[in-house]
Amino acid sequence: MRSDSQGDLRRTLSYFFLHCSLHGRYHELAPHLVPMDYTNDPDVKIPLALIVNMPELKENPFRNRIVESFSEDGQGNLSFNDFVDMFSVLSEMAPRELKAIFAFKIYVHSFRGYFNVDNYICNEDLEKTLNKLTKEELTPEEVNLVCEKAIEEADLDGDNKLSFADFENMISRAPDFLR
Amino acid sequence: MPRRKNDVAITMDDVGMEIDAEYDSGSDVDSKRRAKGRNKPKPAARGKKAKPADSVEESEEEEEEEAPRKRKGRKKKEESEEESEEEQRGRRKKAAGTKKKKAAAKDDSEEESEEEKGNKRRGGKKGANKKEKEEENNKEKKGNGKAAGKGGKDKQDDKKNKGKNSSSSSSDDNSEDESMSEGEMARLKEDVEEKKKLIATLRNKPWRMKRRLKCLKEAQAFVEKFEGALGKGKGRRLYAFKVMMTKVLMGMPYGSIARKTVPREEQDSAMDFSVLFEFGGYCKYSIMFYGYYNYQRSIGLLQFRLPLSYLLVGLGIFGYSLMVVIRTMARNANEGGDGAEDGAFTFCWKLFTSWDFLIGNPETADNKFASTTTSFKESIVDEQENLKDENIHLQRFLRVLANLLILCCLGGSGYLIYYVVKRSQEFAKKDRNELSWLQKNEVEIVMSLLGLVCPPLFEVIAELENYHPRIALKWQLGRIFALFLGNLYTFLFALFDEVNAKLENEKEIKNETIWALKEYYANYTLYHNVTENIPPPNISPADVIRGPCWETEVGIEFVKLTVSDIQVTYLTILIGDFLRAVIVRFLNYCWCWDLEAGFPSYAEFDISGNVLGLIFNQGMIWMGAFYAPGLVGVNVLRLLSSMYYQCWAVMACNVPHERVFKASRSNNFYMGLLLLVLFLSLMPVVYTIMTLPPSFDCGPFSGKDQMYDVIMETIEKDLPPFMADIFSYASNPGLIMPAVLLMVLAIYYLNAVSKAYQNANMDLKRKMQMQRDEEKNRRNNKDSTNQVMKDLEDLLPNKSLIPPPSAEETEKPADQLSKSPKVTGKPGAAATGKGVHVQKDVSLAAANPRAPVTRPPGPRPPGPLPGNARGPPPGQGMGRGRGGPPPRR
């Protein structure tokens, strides 16, 4: 009993502190834009260029896509809520399904809307992903081959592109995904 | 039963006293401080050394609780003691140093003996120390100034202590070390809490930094000291362990009997570094090696059977290791099978999950990019692997040639080692002072050099073979494995020769000893005219004649081998990696070509080679641990240090391996090697245990014909008679043979079952694949995927509008061949690697070119079927289950 309530308290506290520190980080990114006082819920957004320079994202080849896919306007401008959202999804405590959804969003380069089932990963998306991942060191033939093999492997319904269902099916079996 | 327990407790206490006395004898403790130290933070000078004493007390206190009987008996005494503490102290001082068996007084006597020693030793130093002490007290006062209640009391105590120089102090101080009553404990706890609070709030106090620091240090010391005492401290366990090690398990200490003593003629040089470095001298007669252990059947009050447990542990290690390795392998095999079929999503996984989102370091990121690229290339090479169509005869010839060369290498290295070991045995007979360093260490040097030179040589030879990199890697690992094993076994065989020679030698010495003993008895009878109760000859253990003790020799060889392996590994890293990296990095500024990208470049970190090294190291430990139990400790140290060392080397001076071909996806390849090594290192050890007679004057099995006689003896003497019967039945060949037969049959049956499951699995996979393809085709066009049905459809007159598939077939291969004909050839192979060959049928079906579906599936427009009518879209030529028939090769 006691330990339970303690655990609750600890969790609440840790959440609280996380929130505080996140706001600190957020503020740090653009001290001139972000007020420390959030009582009136001001409408502040930080542009992509600033966010991408965070140490967590700096080396990530998908950093632009990540930020874009978390921003409400799709342009990469993050409000504080978006920012918290991004951290919560990227944290290790986030459930697998959520991660799969956002991973899908990240890999679909021409993503429209928040999330809807009409989106597909098509060949160009794969090519872009691959080029980001290998710093364009593969020859065009190799890129083509890889993309086609990838679609061939994961495409269950045979429409030559990856729907979210295909993607989830594939990624849920991946040994490196969230383990 | 309680009686026994009491006994144990008492002896333990005695031991505790001894240890304690030894422990504190070196520290400068004067009695005053000792008395005060009970509830004061200890001055730094005492620091660590005082701790064992405290923990001992603590444990004794707990022991008291455990043995209430004992306590009851002495409770009264204690009370009276507390009252007349001061008088008792004076009295006891005289008796100090002597062991009192009376449990009631043990705490005091222990303390007293320490004090005595401290006093004796210090003498002149005392004055200085007093001063120091007073300073301490002053500090204390300041520090405790603001602490309420107890703090004030402490101060008082301090004053008292300062005033009186004798060991007498206030009774409440002593009551704490006699036996902490409930109240005392509570008070102490409160105290500790208070100090903690102080530490926490120190920052808020409006003091100068100096004062704060002082106060903080004192409070911390206090908390550190008493928190351990209050909790279920580690100290007690440590103490129990110490007692176990000294009294209960080890038997007699060093120097008590011949096997635990350095012989007289070696004693002069026994502490020389060069001797110790080769594990001679004191090392040889220490607990590190087999010879040290005594054959006494049971030791101490717990009746610990050292010989029996020595054998059982020696064999148990093998059993346990086998179990662990096999369990791990089984788990790996399960993991491989549980998810999707291995390799179904190779490219997808590489595409979507290869980036590690935790990477924040630019250099790491670069490495990751490189490794991802290589892994993609690896997969692409895998895909194109079958395309190679070269001169098969030349290939075969080259492969045979390469294997021949490598066999020559292996044989040569084996012979070299055998020759060197033989030579070293020649050298061993000579005086060791005449030998040069090279001659003494020839075996180790040659083995290490072979280990260094041969693997790169194999790699060069393997170039001839032109295998796919993954297969080549496996060959390479297998060859290195063979090399190491061969070397190890040659070494072993040469060692066996030596052992046999030693056994001969030993027989002579044994006869001589028996002869000498008989003579002595005869003389004794002659002089003293008694035939019975003759005391054994009074010879110092250093002068006893002793045999060669081949077990210890074998142990020494293994330890030397391990140590030289460590040295070579470390030196290789230092020179081959570090020095090279330094040169490449700094000479690059003034060199004609680019050193970093060009010829020497940085060293690569060879994962598979390192894993193999670990495996061999483990094999060596398995082999040597029976004859040199200390080897395990050496190995633990080695592994710990080499982890940090290699970690540093990898981060500082290595670049990732260019080929990241892993030997296998699961770890079972290496685990298999480990299992093989385990088995191979188990064999010689078990062989020696079972066949060779143990030395007559050293080791836990001396005096027995065979080592396993210990087990027989235990069965006969310690177990009830019916157990002996059971064992005798169980060891009957008539029973063992059927058991083995049963096991073989069980293995056969289980194997068959697993095969059947595997087949069923493959079947299901195939069905799934077919269904998938069918589904795909049905979506894209209404065509059947079945060739026969297709042909039938073609024959039907009303389908004549459809363009014949041949038109497409002619146009497609050209498109595809430019990229990768193989993909078209075996569409299914890409997914499963092994290839589900049913797809061949499927791919024979008519081409079903797919274009991105741009509209939802709905009623089909009139006219010809969409799929065929559209023709192959550009760049989409290679879908599964589609495309023309495979190019006939």
Side-chain angles (χ1 to χ4, degrees), chain B residues 514-526 534-538:
Chain B
I514 294 172
W515 184 247
L517 207 64
K518 274 187 181 155
E519 246 172 20
Y520 163 79
Y521 281 131
N523 285 338
Y524 196 89
T525 326
L526 216 65
I534 301 174
N538 185 22

Side-chain angles (χ1 to χ4, degrees), chain B residues 10 48 95 189 213 252 282 402 410 427 446 641 644 723 823 879:
Chain B
I10 289 174
K48 241 188 190 166
K189 242 180 232 173
L213 272 180
M252 283 180 252
Y282 283 110
L410 289 178
F427 289 143
V446 166
S641 60
Y644 289 109
M723 291 292 274
V823 180

Side-chain angles (χ1 to χ4, degrees), chain B residues 296-429:
Chain B
Q296 196 183 355
R297 213 172 141 252
S298 57
I299 297 173
L301 293 145
L302 294 177
Q303 298 285 306
F304 176 63
R305 286 167 169 72
L306 191 136
L308 178 68
S309 53
Y310 195 101
L311 186 69
L312 289 185
V313 167
L315 294 178
I317 286 174
F318 286 119
Y320 178 74
S321 312
L322 266 179
M323 214 176 66
V324 168
V325 171
I326 289 181
R327 269 183 58 114
T328 316
M329 284 180 77
R331 209 177 44 228
N332 280 347
N334 269 345
E335 257 172 27
D338 76 341
E341 49 278 41
D342 208 16
F345 295 115
T346 334
F347 283 99
C348 277
W349 287 346
K350 282 202 173 125
L351 251 180
F352 294 123
T353 65
S354 57
W355 186 259
D356 184 349
F357 275 62
L358 292 178
I359 292 175
N361 180 357
E363 224 168 284
T364 324
D366 276 345
N367 286 347
K368 189 74 191 175
F369 281 123
S371 98
T372 321
T373 314
T374 357
S375 91
F376 271 116
K377 281 193 175 147
E378 178 191 354
S379 298
I380 293 166
V381 170
D382 262 359
E383 286 297 316
Q384 292 167 343
E385 162 196 29
N386 287 2
L387 297 182
K388 284 181 193 160
D389 189 27
E390 284 157 17
N391 187 347
I392 195 82
H393 296 295
L394 181 68
Q395 191 81 282
R396 269 187 202 148
F397 169 74
L398 283 178
R399 285 180 186 177
V400 169
L401 183 71
N403 278 318
L404 262 180
L405 284 175
I406 281 167
L407 275 182
C408 289
C409 283
L410 289 178
S413 79
Y415 177 74
L416 191 59
I417 286 179
Y418 192 79
Y419 173 73
V420 168
V421 173
K422 279 284 166 196
R423 235 165 79 109
S424 81
Q425 283 160 12
E426 297 292 310
F427 289 143
K429 284 172 194 153

Side-chain angles (χ1 to χ4, degrees), chain A residues 55-56 58-62 66 90 106-107 121 123 126 129-130 132-135 137-138 141-142 144-162 167 169-171 173-177, chain B residues 339-341 343-355 357 359-362 365-366 369 372-373 376-377 380 383-384 772 775-776 779-780 819-820 823 827 830-831 850-853 875-880:
Chain A
E56 282 90 344
K58 213 166 65 192
E59 299 300 331
N60 200 314
F62 306 116
I66 292 175
L90 290 180
I106 289 167
Y107 290 126
I121 298 180
N123 225 329
L126 287 181
T129 308
L130 186 59
K132 279 178 186 168
L133 207 52
T134 58
K135 286 199 169 169
E137 278 183 21
L138 295 179
E141 285 87 42
E142 285 170 333
N144 251 335
L145 177 71
V146 170
C147 294
E148 292 190 14
K149 294 306 289 183
I151 285 189
E152 188 182 299
E153 282 166 3
D155 184 17
L156 284 184
D157 44 17
D159 52 5
N160 225 2
K161 51 194 176 183
L162 305 183
F167 184 78
N169 174 41
M170 180 272 299
I171 210 146
R173 300 180 189 192
D176 295 336
F177 186 67
Chain B
E341 49 278 41
F345 295 115
T346 334
F347 283 99
C348 277
W349 287 346
K350 282 202 173 125
L351 251 180
F352 294 123
T353 65
S354 57
W355 186 259
F357 275 62
I359 292 175
N361 180 357
D366 276 345
F369 281 123
T372 321
T373 314
F376 271 116
K377 281 193 175 147
I380 293 166
E383 286 297 316
Q384 292 167 343
R772 213 170 108 181
E775 182 84 5
K776 276 185 193 171
R779 281 203 182 210
N780 288 344
K819 286 167 191 165
S820 125
V823 180
R850 285 172 293 169
V853 173
Q876 302 271 346
M878 288 190 282
R880 180 205 301 286

